Amino acid sequence: MQVALDLSPQEASQVDSGVKPRRSAIELRDVSKHYKDAGAPIVDKLTLSIAEGEFVALTGPSGCGKTTTLKMINRLIEPSSGQILINGLDVDDLPSHRLRQGIGYVIQNVGLFPHMTIAENVAAVPRLLGWKKDRTANRIDELLSMVGLEPSMYRDRYPRELSGGQAQRVGVARALAADPPILLMDEPFAAVDPITRTSLQDEFLRLQQSIRKTIVFVTHDMAEAMRLADRVVIFGPQSKIAQVGAPTEVLSAPADAFVSSMLGTGRLVQLLSCVKLRDVSLDPWPTISEEMGQDERLVALAEALGRGKDRVLVLDEAKRPRYWIYLDGNGESMRFELDCTLDLEVTSLRDAITQIVYCPHDCAVVVDGDESFQGVIDLKGIRRSLAPLAGSSASIIGVDK
């Protein structure tokens, strides 16, 4: 049965709470694509709504219509029937070149122009839009810095002088050059090695936290979809939606045998990979300012011991963690360096477990993008966070109840 998606889970929860939901950035209404020589349609009466700022991954078996659906959004492929709306406007009413200038597009093999420098590649759309040179130059430097490429080092290089990961970063920068509200990504990280791929995923997660684009992301890799997206759409044949939902919803309650087969074995382990530290409760932990003297440190340590904590975290004036202090055998405060610090927005529970098991004190300090202290996480805290989603997770994370 075809599923119509009028509200995302985020929108539905906002309606329930009385908060005005985000408007739809992209709507597909009964969209189909037929080819003359094909017996069945590639896409058959697909209805889907994507909210502003939402990251939606389209995944499913080969030939199910994921990429065709993506390309119909910016009219690289024209639908046979149905309606596609961008911010409430029918794409058929917009000249195709104007439509594409407002939508960033990133593909698997990057597609950089080999005869152009990196700066010229990034400037391609701003140049078409008639931007002034100073504005374009500033945007090039801003974007290269944003994707982790030092402008002075990479601006004048050519694509042949880049690694696969670097070229993919330039592809993302080029797609963002004119600051489009929508970004379409067709298996952008599939052609790079696993280590580089994980690094690119981490960087993109950090980037999305700041730019908050509406993203439609096609991938064959179910783990990648679960790791990156706010919502995952699993297609069956002819782009019939088998299940849609937040990664935690899909992993904890697959809709049917087909979805279970797509997810594969070890769903609870996958669940660890898609839940970020920002989604769980952290232990606030006792802290003290770096400027405090010895007497004040001793008072703080005594109070911490009264709360069952054997150490106190020292923060600088920007609330960034510096080091731990504890009481030695003579009742004096001593320091030891941080052994494990994790990023709130990017680190998954699975990554956290991997780090924590190697930490001498069996816990990790969690910081935000500004390196400001957010809390502490340990294995028992991870187990408690998973329990509501997947029942007892003690067998996965190795912690007794």
Side-chain angles (χ1 to χ4, degrees):
M1 181 177 70
Q2 182 64 36
V3 180
L5 304 175
D6 296 321
L7 291 177
S8 71
Q10 295 93 330
E11 291 174 311
S13 64
Q14 288 173 332
V15 170
D16 292 341
S17 63
V19 178
K20 184 178 180 181
R22 291 177 294 172
R23 70 174 183 172
S24 292
I26 303 170
E27 291 185 70
L28 290 83
R29 299 177 178 175
D30 288 327
V31 173
S32 297
K33 180 61 185 178
H34 302 260
Y35 288 102
K36 184 180 297 184
D37 298 330
I42 302 299
V43 177
D44 187 21
K45 296 182 179 179
L46 173 63
T47 295
L48 178 65
S49 179
I50 299 171
E52 279 186 335
E54 188 179 21
F55 190 138
V56 171
L58 309 182
T59 188
S62 297
C64 69
K66 304 182 298 295
T67 294
T68 299
T69 298
L70 190 80
K71 290 183 176 181
M72 286 193 291
I73 293 173
N74 65 355
R75 290 179 60 191
L76 287 176
I77 294 177
E78 296 287 351
S80 303
S81 60
Q83 186 181 35
I84 300 175
L85 305 177
I86 302 291
N87 295 322
L89 299 176
D90 193 321
V91 298
D92 284 342
D93 295 335
L94 300 171
S96 59
H97 70 282
R98 291 289 302 276
L99 172 69
R100 293 169 194 153
Q101 286 170 0
I103 298 176
Y105 190 53
V106 186
I107 58 178
Q108 178 177 336
N109 58 4
V110 188
L112 299 179
F113 302 115
H115 62 288
M116 292 184 178
T117 66
I118 300 311
E120 290 169 338
N121 267 279
V122 174
V125 174
R127 186 169 57 247
L128 288 173
L129 295 176
W131 285 23
K132 293 182 178 179
K133 289 184 177 181
D134 287 349
R135 182 186 179 191
T136 301
N138 290 336
R139 184 62 173 163
I140 291 168
D141 288 353
E142 176 189 2
L143 286 168
L144 290 179
S145 298
M146 188 183 295
V147 298
L149 299 174
E150 172 57 42
S152 62
M153 292 179 59
Y154 292 95
R155 188 190 300 112
D156 298 322
R157 292 189 185 183
Y158 286 87
R160 64 180 178 274
E161 301 174 285
L162 303 180
S163 68
Q166 290 168 343
Q168 203 64 63
R169 291 167 189 261
V170 175
V172 172
R174 183 176 64 180
L176 295 172
D179 199 21
I182 294 171
L183 190 61
L184 307 181
M185 306 184 77
D186 191 3
E187 299 201 65
F189 308 140
V192 296
D193 63 88
I195 294 176
T196 301
R197 185 173 192 170
T198 299
S199 175
L200 287 170
Q201 290 171 354
D202 286 346
E203 290 299 324
F204 195 74
L205 281 170
R206 291 189 183 96
L207 183 62
Q208 174 63 353
Q209 290 303 311
S210 61
I211 62 176
R212 300 309 305 176
K213 300 294 182 183
T214 302
I215 298 174
V216 186
F217 187 99
V218 166
T219 179
H220 280 88
D221 186 335
M222 190 66 69
E224 181 173 64
M226 297 298 175
R227 189 166 191 257
L228 296 178
D230 300 320
R231 194 159 51 117
V232 177
V233 182
I234 300 177
F235 285 152
Q238 299 172 285
S239 291
K240 297 290 186 180
I241 296 176
Q243 188 169 0
V244 59
T248 52
E249 297 170 353
V250 175
L251 286 167
S252 59
D256 53 29
F258 170 78
V259 174
S260 292
S261 69
M262 289 298 302
L263 294 173
T265 59
R267 290 204 314 273
L268 293 182
V269 176
Q270 292 184 59
L271 191 59
L272 288 169
S273 298
C274 71
V275 178
K276 301 296 185 294
L277 291 183
R278 66 171 182 263
D279 301 320
V280 305
S281 297
L282 303 175
D283 189 337
W285 208 273
T287 64
I288 192 171
S289 169
E290 193 174 23
E291 299 175 353
M292 296 298 182
Q294 179 71 355
D295 290 344
E296 292 167 304
R297 293 184 177 207
L298 291 174
V299 171
L301 282 166
E303 292 176 349
L305 287 170
R307 295 167 53 187
K309 308 293 187 184
D310 62 354
R311 58 196 183 279
V312 171
L313 186 62
V314 178
L315 309 178
D316 67 13
E317 60 182 9
K319 306 299 183 185
R320 293 173 298 199
R322 302 297 297 168
Y323 51 87
W324 296 102
I325 58 172
Y326 68 100
L327 285 176
D328 67 6
N330 298 318
E332 298 294 328
S333 71
M334 299 293 291
R335 65 178 282 176
F336 59 88
E337 300 306 317
L338 298 175
D339 45 40
C340 191
T341 304
L342 303 177
D343 187 309
L344 178 77
E345 297 294 343
V346 172
T347 307
S348 69
L349 293 188
R350 184 175 183 179
D351 294 337
I353 291 170
T354 303
Q355 294 292 324
I356 291 170
V357 294
Y358 291 108
C359 293
H361 298 92
D362 299 324
C363 70
V365 174
V366 181
V367 298
D368 63 14
D370 296 321
E371 299 184 3
S372 176
F373 175 65
Q374 301 298 306
V376 169
I377 188 74
D378 61 13
L379 295 181
K380 290 183 179 179
I382 291 173
R383 188 195 65 199
R384 289 193 301 269
S385 300
L386 274 182
L389 295 172
S392 173
S393 55
S395 61
I396 295 176
I397 62 178
V399 179
D400 294 333
K401 289 186 177 180

